[in-house]
Amino acid sequence: MATQTASTGFADTKRHYPILDGLRGVAALMVVAFHLFEAHAASRFVQIINHGYLAVDFFFLLSGFVIGYAYDDRWRSMTVGEFCKRRLIRLHPMIVVAMLVGAALFYFQQGVPFPKIQDTPLWLMLALMFIGMTLLPVGAALDVRGWGEMHPLNGPAWSLFYEYVGNLLYALFVRRFSRVALGLCVFLAGCALVHHCVAGPQGDVIGGWSLDPAQVRLGLTRLLYPFFAGLLLSRVVKIGRVRHAFLLSSAIVVATLAMPRFGGEQAVWMNGLYESVCIIAVFPLVVYLGASGDVHEGPAARACNFLGGISYPLYITHYPFVYAYTAWVVTNKVTLRDGAPVALATLLLCVLLAHVCLKYYDIPVRRWLTRRYMGKAAAPTLASKPLA
């Protein structure tokens, strides 16, 4: 079935899964809400939308699935360099904008949570902006916020860094793996994930955004199982037919991410077990359900198209606004009740900015880059939409 994605404007012969686009948007909205509520949380044990951070692991699984589906059968006519160009064209324009947004709002984020901002000279902030545009991570010596982030102007860029790692692993090695070899990788990565979640001191997968060894290990742990599992799913699963798949799969995603924390401080392993089940079993089920349904017209189709379009711009540009909101809340001891109108306005502003970036920057720039550097070749429909 020939399709054409609004994101690229180029035709492709592969079937498109609009529900997976919509699910990515649902998860992105949950991430924004999670981060806004997080400003009011005293600890990880009393957070509202407590498991919103699992959206990143869901994105990694979606990414593995669509990368495998879109590219596995293209390697006879595509080089590693061409694959990398396609992924850079799709992912990197918004990374540049994300760092611009982070730089523009940086000095508006001064407050109790970020003690280093007021002492950060302009030249250093601008240097970090340009470094961030390359997505190269920085260490503690260049921490200008106090949170130890590898991308201090826009923290969530850490997951795009690991997205690139996953893409390179696939292009250089994993694409050649047999199903058995890939299945073994999935099993081993799953064991590492469960061990971290259940036997680790935190009982969760929170982290991965710093360059210290423990955080890098956690970032790789969060990447490898879902990315490999999504790739394996694309190779072995037989897509069925599921009615109302968008509503059903969206409800599962929202419920999974909004679930309160299990076990409390005395039994963190219970929460680790919950997160292991979510990443290892629930998220693959959601991807299967989303791929097994379809939407052709009406509200569901429009919702999937809109949510899929804004999902990546929303995810990669929202956090500078969250920094500012968090600084305001913590510095002024704003309660959730008093801060709710500002939080809602922030959410709407982030959605509006994502839509504007998509329509007036991301689509035109990617279209131009594709024509300039890929000739007549178009980016594959599914892989044209990143799953950060």
Side-chain angles (χ1 to χ4, degrees), residues 44 53 202 204-209 215 218 222 261 275:
R44 68 182 68 199
Y53 49 85
Q202 296 181 170
D204 56 48
V205 294
I206 297 175
W209 49 75
Q215 285 288 299
L218 177 53
R222 295 187 70 176
R261 189 175 173 103
E275 295 189 8

Side-chain angles (χ1 to χ4, degrees), residues 127-359:
L128 286 170
M129 180 187 73
F130 287 112
I131 294 173
M133 288 177 180
T134 70
L135 209 60
L136 291 173
V138 300
L142 293 177
D143 180 13
V144 295
R145 185 176 302 281
W147 281 10
E149 297 162 297
M150 65 171 70
H151 298 99
L153 296 188
N154 200 325
W158 75 269
S159 63
L160 270 296
F161 172 78
Y162 284 104
E163 173 82 7
Y164 275 6
V165 171
N167 278 240
L168 285 173
L169 288 175
Y170 167 75
L172 296 175
F173 310 108
V174 182
R175 64 181 173 88
R176 299 185 177 94
F177 287 7
S178 66
R179 291 182 179 181
V180 173
L182 182 57
L184 178 60
C185 290
V186 169
F187 174 75
L188 293 176
C191 289
L193 176 68
V194 173
H195 179 267
H196 173 82
C197 290
V198 178
Q202 296 181 170
D204 56 48
V205 294
I206 297 175
W209 49 75
S210 298
L211 266 188
D212 66 84
Q215 285 288 299
V216 171
R217 179 181 177 182
L218 177 53
L220 290 172
T221 300
R222 295 187 70 176
L223 167 73
L224 293 180
Y225 172 80
F227 189 83
F228 284 165
L231 179 59
L232 182 63
L233 190 67
S234 74
R235 294 182 179 182
V236 303
V237 72
K238 183 178 180 181
I239 301 301
R241 295 180 63 87
V242 177
R243 298 183 61 187
H244 309 299
F246 178 56
L247 291 177
L248 177 60
S249 52
S250 295
I252 296 174
V253 169
V254 170
T256 300
L257 301 185
M259 191 68 65
R261 189 175 173 103
F262 291 88
E265 297 183 53
Q266 304 305 315
V268 295
W269 67 267
M270 294 178 63
N271 192 73
L273 182 61
Y274 170 77
E275 295 189 8
S276 298
V277 171
C278 289
I279 299 170
I280 290 174
V282 176
F283 290 162
L285 173 63
V286 169
V287 172
Y288 170 79
L289 292 174
S292 297
D294 204 357
V295 289
H296 299 287
E297 57 185 15
R302 291 192 292 271
C304 287
N305 183 62
F306 177 77
L307 290 170
I310 68 167
S311 57
Y312 179 42
L314 177 62
Y315 176 79
I316 201 60
T317 62
H318 81 280
Y319 212 58
F321 296 94
V322 172
Y323 286 135
Y325 179 77
T326 300
W328 173 67
V329 166
V330 176
T331 302
N332 297 285
K333 299 180 180 180
V334 180
T335 65
L336 177 58
R337 180 176 180 178
D338 292 337
V342 179
L344 178 59
T346 303
L347 173 62
L348 295 177
L349 176 61
C350 291
V351 171
L352 176 61
L353 176 63
H355 179 67
V356 170
C357 287
L358 174 73
K359 184 175 181 181

Side-chain angles (χ1 to χ4, degrees), residues 111-127:
V112 172
F114 312 121
K116 293 187 176 183
I117 290 180
Q118 63 182 1
D119 297 322
T120 301
L122 179 62
W123 69 264
L124 178 56
M125 187 274 289
L126 292 175

Side-chain angles (χ1 to χ4, degrees), residues 78-130:
M78 181 178 63
T79 66
V80 171
E82 289 171 342
F83 172 83
C84 291
K85 282 197 293 185
R86 291 177 185 273
R87 300 309 293 150
L88 283 168
I89 288 171
R90 182 53 192 101
L91 293 170
H92 224 80
M94 280 307 307
I95 291 171
V96 172
V97 168
M99 295 305 161
L100 285 171
V101 173
L105 296 179
F106 182 71
Y107 291 109
F108 294 97
Q109 300 158 1
Q110 296 186 48
V112 172
F114 312 121
K116 293 187 176 183
I117 290 180
Q118 63 182 1
D119 297 322
T120 301
L122 179 62
W123 69 264
L124 178 56
M125 187 274 289
L126 292 175
L128 286 170
M129 180 187 73
F130 287 112

